[in-house]
Amino acid sequence: MLCQFTFSNYCSYRDETIFDMQASSMKEFEESLIVDEKDGQAFLPVSVIFGPNAGGKSNLFRAIQRLFNAVSYPIFLLSNKDETIKDIPRLKLRGIDAFRFDHEHPNEPSDFEVYFRTEGQEFRYALSLDANGITSESLSRKNVGGTRTANLFERVGDKVVLGSSLKRARARTTFNTDIPYLSFLALNYDNDFIKMAAKWLSSAQFVDFDFHFEELILEKSLEQEDEGVIVGILKAAGINIDGFRVEGDEGDLDNKRVWVRHIVNGEPYELRLSKESSGTRKMMSIAFALDDALKNGGLLVADELDSKLHPKLLRFIVALFQDPTINKSGAQLVFTSQDVSIMRSDVFRRDEIWFAARGEDEASTLWSLSDIHEPNGNLVSKNAAFDRQYLSGRYGADPILDRFLYWED
């Protein structure tokens, strides 16, 4: 599970920024928390990030995706045995998205670190990138509940120092330095700790609806065998679809068609997938990610999850992760949203609500509702009207509008 993600000098985030999925001591919705039986530490099943347009919500999504994909993409590409892949593109990893609004940071590395738990182990993986490539990288681990931390490896530039377990495995330190050393190890060595870390990082799913890419490729990606999972989730969400039919020869994506079946007055009717509502297509495109995360206890990160979804449908998705009878494997959902109607004390814990906004220096800042204090010094009450207080400007991260300025001028 994701415990904490830290990064700096990436896109609009100049300074060190911490996104935390470790539950605070707040008492609301304790039954929804994911508790590690080994040491009793509790983690959040869901977190949502609010804020104005251009405040930094999507850049947080991209920062998390950047680190995870840096490791998983080389593993996926270089382990793919499909002979149709004739030319593997150069995999050199560069940091080209540093903060640009001063003279110092564009020339500095972008730094990322993720702290996570999997299979009884606690890992910390760090990666730094500048315009020339990877500047540093490290991986450490310890037993959950233990006190002794073991360094698996540390890398500075092209030089790698091995920890004891990798020394015993006689891991090579000469490798393609354009890719993360963790990716190289996962591809070439059968080390349990390396496999655990690489598997967890590679299993995270990222869904970006900003440019509707998921909906555009839906018809090309659906298979008939997907019908049971997708239709089951849609019916649970109150979307009345009986099934779908995939038409066309396997492998012929240009002529592939999907017809969605509805039952009306006892009679079956079919509608081309492209004619279904955007909300239905969106739920169909995210259904597998939801199913996989909840069954396997994975991490699902989504940008603009609320786009084209009714607030009740968005609450339905959130509730799946918050219900321990459904989320039995400890899955986690992190998403950005503009839908303030779900910013309610009966939907989220205070530490599950985050805000992102830019200051006058164009640098984004991230903070949690659980960190905000009222003028009297007390924390925001767990029974407060979060949505109304946010819209009134009490939490920050709300749009500052110059009323009719353009038209008046």
Side-chain angles (χ1 to χ4, degrees), residues 24 26 350-353 367-373 379-380:
S24 68
M26 293 177 168
R350 285 166 289 176
D351 51 2
E352 292 176 333
I353 297 175
W367 65 96
S368 170
L369 177 57
S370 62
D371 297 327
I372 297 175
H373 289 75
L379 294 172
V380 174

Side-chain angles (χ1 to χ4, degrees), residues 197-230:
K199 179 182 177 182
W200 187 83
L201 288 165
S202 299
S203 68
Q205 300 183 80
F206 295 86
V207 182
D208 184 358
F209 288 105
D210 191 23
F211 298 106
H212 318 295
F213 177 69
E214 302 287 338
E215 293 177 44
L216 291 173
I217 66 169
L218 178 60
E219 189 164 47
K220 307 300 182 186
S221 61
L222 281 177
E223 301 293 343
Q224 196 64 58
E225 62 190 31
D226 303 338
E227 184 180 30
V229 168
I230 292 177

Side-chain angles (χ1 to χ4, degrees), residues 169-203:
R170 297 183 179 180
R172 287 190 292 131
T173 56
T174 55
F175 65 106
N176 178 1
T177 56
D178 289 345
I179 69 173
Y181 188 58
L182 176 54
S183 304
F184 166 78
L185 291 172
L187 286 163
N188 293 283
Y189 293 92
D190 191 25
N191 178 282
D192 287 342
F193 300 127
I194 294 298
K195 287 195 299 184
M196 288 177 195
K199 179 182 177 182
W200 187 83
L201 288 165
S202 299
S203 68

Side-chain angles (χ1 to χ4, degrees), residues 78-137:
L78 297 176
S79 62
N80 194 317
K81 305 303 182 182
D82 188 344
E83 293 182 359
T84 61
I85 300 179
K86 300 183 183 300
D87 297 315
I88 295 178
R90 186 166 175 80
L91 288 170
K92 186 173 181 64
L93 194 61
R94 293 186 178 92
I96 57 174
D97 296 306
F99 183 78
R100 299 290 177 185
F101 293 101
D102 63 19
H103 297 294
E104 174 187 354
H105 286 84
N107 302 313
E108 295 295 322
S110 297
D111 299 323
F112 308 89
E113 181 180 88
V114 61
Y115 157 40
F116 62 97
R117 292 184 174 191
T118 182
E119 300 183 58
Q121 295 294 313
E122 187 174 283
F123 291 93
R124 289 185 183 271
Y125 175 67
L127 183 71
S128 296
L129 310 166
D130 67 11
N132 295 315
I134 298 172
T135 60
S136 66
E137 182 186 6

